[in-house]
């Protein structure tokens, strides 16, 4: 039987390996996983909301029923602000940064998060996720400042996501590789299930919303046409897999190989996805797993955001698939590349 390593045990092992570690991550990830377990329970019960009396605006206890993404936002915020490790948070659900209540001490980190990405999919029982990014405080403001949250991807000290799917998984990196933990509900623990995840260099899946085809730049149209017809993948083109839930689409491509694309288009000139709590954390993970992430011009990790909720075009996944896409976006002759393959 594989040795059972809990999330806490994993961080204690990592702490021993890096003597300079002060145990901050062990505490932070322990609280993150605690909040993730509660959100997982709420996500799994969502389908029963009408049956178990959470219909309309009040539940059987007569409490206000919150939309799941607001509920997730509150659960993560309340779990993380009392630790004394964060000086501020940012969330897709809040226009401004979230400050640590005065009764709690502040710390040297900030956390940017999308507390429940793709929550509109919950009604049709499609997997959804939480995405988070952890950075060191850079301002001298004792209780944090927006500039602590608005930093380039390469400044991240850790990043991860929780996938609420057929099982609940927590996947993270702190720069020492990518690790995946699967929640064992019978004991309420996240157990190490994927150590040092590596994304295959090439993949057979591409993920893009084909419904926007008429709005894509020509280079994207040419690339998609190419990968549909390319005979490189065992004699047939790549397969389209897109469920409209970023974490789920990303996780499949991370494990199986492939590329996710959300280009800018005439409807969304900056793209749709957010830099700080969607693109940057997933870019950190995919690079640590041997993949690539770009906005079509620059590595995501090298981009310096200017605004808290800044959007950005996002292309990430298997290194060779991203390279071929970049050849199309830079109008390079891809025939020579194909002949090399
Ligand atoms: P579209 C969900 O709303 C989300 O933010 C991501 O999870 C997902 O990848 C994307 O939007 C889907 O967007 O425009 O294809 O519906």
């Amino acid at each position: 039987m594989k040795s059972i390593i809990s999330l806490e045990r994993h961080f204690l092992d990592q702490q021993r390996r890096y003597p300079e570690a002060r145990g901050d991550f062990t505490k932070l990830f322990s609280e993150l996983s605690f909040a993730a377990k509660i959100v997982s329970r709420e996500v799994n019960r969502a389908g029963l909301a009408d049956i178990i009396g959470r219909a309309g605006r009040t539940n059987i206890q007569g409490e206000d029923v919150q939309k799941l993404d607001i509920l997730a936002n509150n659960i993560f915020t309340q779990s993380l602000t009392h630790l004394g490790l964060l000086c501020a948070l940012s969330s897709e659900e809040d226009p401004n940064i979230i400050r640590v209540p005065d009764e709690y001490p502040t710390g040297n980190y900030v956390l940017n998060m999308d507390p429940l990405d793709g929550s509109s999919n919950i009604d049709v029982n499609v997997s959804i996720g939480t995405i988070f990014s952890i950075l060191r405080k850079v301002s001298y403001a004792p209780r944090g400042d927006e500039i602590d949250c608005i930093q380039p991807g390469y400044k991240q000290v850790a990043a991860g996501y929780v996938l609420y799917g057929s099982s609940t998984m927590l996947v993270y990196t702190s720069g020492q590789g990518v690790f995946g933990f699967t929640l064992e509900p019978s004991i309420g623990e996240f157990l190490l299930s994927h150590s040092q995840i590596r994304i295959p260099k090439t993949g057979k899946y591409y993920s893009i919303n084909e419904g926007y085809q008429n709005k894509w730049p020509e280079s994207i149209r040419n690339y998609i046409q190419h990968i549909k017809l390319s005979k490189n993948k065992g004699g047939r083109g790549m397969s389209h897999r897109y469920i409209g839930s970023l974490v789920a689409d990303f996780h499949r491509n991370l494990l199986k190989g492939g590329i996710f694309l959300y280009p800018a288009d005439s409807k969304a000139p900056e793209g749709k996805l957010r830099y700080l709590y969607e693109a940057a954390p997933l870019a950190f993970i995919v690079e640590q797993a041997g993949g690539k992430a770009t906005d079509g011009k620059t590595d995501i990790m090298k981009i310096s955001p200017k605004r808290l909720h800044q959007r950005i075009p996002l292309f990430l996944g298997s290194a060779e698939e991203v390279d071929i896409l970049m050849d199309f976006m830079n109008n390079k002759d891809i025939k020579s590349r194909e002949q090399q393959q």
Side-chain angles (χ1 to χ4, degrees):
M1 185 169 106
K2 268 175 44 173
S3 59
I4 297 178
I5 296 180
S6 69
L7 188 107
E8 285 73 12
R9 158 88 187 269
H10 166 81
F11 277 96
L12 287 171
D13 291 348
Q14 294 288 89
Q15 205 175 308
R16 276 192 281 274
R17 198 164 298 150
Y18 302 98
E20 72 281 9
R22 296 191 309 261
D24 292 349
F25 277 10
T26 306
K27 277 192 275 182
L28 196 49
F29 274 85
S30 176
E31 278 301 316
L32 268 168
S33 70
F34 172 72
K37 292 174 202 172
I38 299 176
V39 172
S40 175
R41 184 197 62 185
E42 292 306 316
V43 165
N44 291 333
R45 286 171 65 201
L48 295 168
D50 293 344
I51 299 167
I52 57 175
R54 292 183 65 197
R57 289 300 304 154
T58 59
N59 60 18
I60 41 178
Q61 289 84 16
E63 296 153 350
D64 270 352
V65 172
Q66 292 173 315
K67 276 181 66 191
L68 267 182
D69 39 15
I70 303 299
L71 182 62
N73 191 51
N74 293 341
I75 290 167
F76 279 104
T77 302
Q78 285 156 23
S79 298
L80 296 169
T81 45
H82 73 82
L83 280 177
L85 292 173
L86 302 179
C87 68
L89 296 90
S90 84
S91 168
E92 186 180 45
E93 299 301 331
D94 290 280
N96 306 308
I97 62 169
I98 302 164
R99 301 213 179 258
V100 171
D102 290 342
E103 64 261 36
Y104 297 130
T106 58
N108 298 318
Y109 298 98
V110 294
L111 182 137
N112 298 326
M113 68 176 170
D114 186 350
L116 204 58
D117 175 76
S119 51
S120 55
N121 288 301
I122 194 72
D123 301 337
V124 292
N125 207 10
V126 161
S127 303
I128 55 179
T130 297
I131 312 171
F132 59 88
S133 166
I134 301 170
L135 303 133
R136 276 199 184 78
K137 175 177 178 354
V138 291
S139 77
Y140 294 103
R143 301 195 76 81
D145 183 283
E146 199 174 68
I147 57 167
D148 294 313
C149 296
I150 304 176
Q151 299 185 55
Y154 69 87
K155 292 281 193 179
Q156 293 176 96
V157 291
Y161 59 84
V162 183
L163 177 60
Y164 309 101
S166 50
S167 60
T168 294
M169 273 195 77
L170 187 151
V171 177
Y172 93 98
T173 186
S174 60
Q176 316 297 335
V178 180
F179 298 88
F181 298 80
T182 301
L183 181 62
E184 169 47 73
S186 65
I187 56 174
E189 288 288 351
F190 278 101
L191 305 180
L192 183 66
S193 52
H194 298 70
S195 183
Q196 294 290 0
I197 296 173
R198 303 295 294 167
I199 186 169
K201 287 234 168 297
T202 62
K204 60 181 179 181
Y205 298 130
Y206 75 96
S207 307
I208 189 170
N209 186 332
E210 295 250 11
Y212 301 153
Q213 182 168 349
N214 295 332
K215 303 187 189 81
W216 294 339
E218 189 180 3
S219 59
I220 298 291
R221 274 204 299 277
N222 294 340
Y223 169 71
I224 297 297
Q225 186 69 0
H226 166 75
I227 59 175
K228 281 180 176 175
L229 301 176
S230 162
K231 295 296 176 219
N232 289 350
K233 308 294 171 192
R236 62 189 184 83
M238 292 176 82
S239 297
H240 186 229
R241 290 285 187 282
Y242 188 77
I243 63 171
S245 185
L246 174 60
V247 173
D249 280 321
F250 175 83
H251 185 72
R252 179 199 52 250
N253 293 352
L254 178 71
L255 297 188
K256 300 291 185 189
I259 184 168
F260 175 93
L261 306 93
Y262 205 106
D265 61 34
S266 49
K267 178 187 139 192
E270 283 188 321
K272 172 182 184 181
L273 302 175
R274 313 284 187 166
Y275 181 83
L276 286 176
Y277 40 77
E278 290 174 329
L282 296 184
F284 190 11
I285 291 170
V286 83
E287 282 197 1
Q288 280 287 310
K292 290 188 177 181
T294 175
D295 69 345
K297 298 189 188 74
T298 312
D299 288 356
I300 292 289
M301 295 281 273
K302 292 176 184 162
I303 292 170
S304 292
K306 301 287 179 290
R307 301 183 310 282
L308 204 54
H309 300 288
Q310 181 170 324
R311 298 177 193 271
I312 191 157
L314 180 61
F315 309 98
L316 77 173
S318 297
E320 290 185 19
E321 308 300 350
V322 175
D323 287 345
I324 293 171
L325 169 67
M326 290 304 287
D327 286 349
F328 274 84
M329 296 186 86
N330 298 321
N331 296 315
K332 280 191 189 151
D333 165 27
I334 65 113
K335 284 274 176 290
S336 53
R337 172 191 287 277
E338 284 214 317
Q339 277 144 18
Q340 287 159 20
Q341 276 183 345

